[in-house]
Amino acid sequence: MPPPSTNPKKVDISLSRGVEIAWDDGHASQYALDYLRRHCPCAVCRAGTPAAPEPSSPFPLYKPA
């Protein structure tokens, strides 16, 4: 079995869908915006900014970004 490709053939970035990568070996990867936010390794995201407090209501109307 050949090793996975590290060369992207096509990269699509969408503000609604996230990032989609088509690789030279035919594999396709999709990364949702929520996934990218939670796994961001940059210094700004990892700087230890305090987490937002939990809402006081057990029934929040929206999920914070």
Side-chain angles (χ1 to χ4, degrees):
M1 178 174 216
S5 175
T6 57
N7 299 318
K9 185 176 181 181
K10 181 179 178 184
V11 177
D12 287 324
I13 301 172
S14 167
L15 294 178
S16 61
R17 292 186 321 269
V19 177
E20 298 176 5
I21 304 171
W23 300 95
D24 276 345
D25 63 0
H27 179 78
S29 301
Q30 295 180 333
Y31 302 97
L33 295 176
D34 183 55
Y35 174 86
L36 294 172
R37 278 188 211 102
R38 286 184 282 118
H39 291 86
C40 180
C42 80
V44 173
C45 291
R46 301 290 179 181
T49 52
E54 290 294 319
S56 58
S57 168
F59 305 105
L61 298 177
Y62 66 94
K63 181 179 177 184

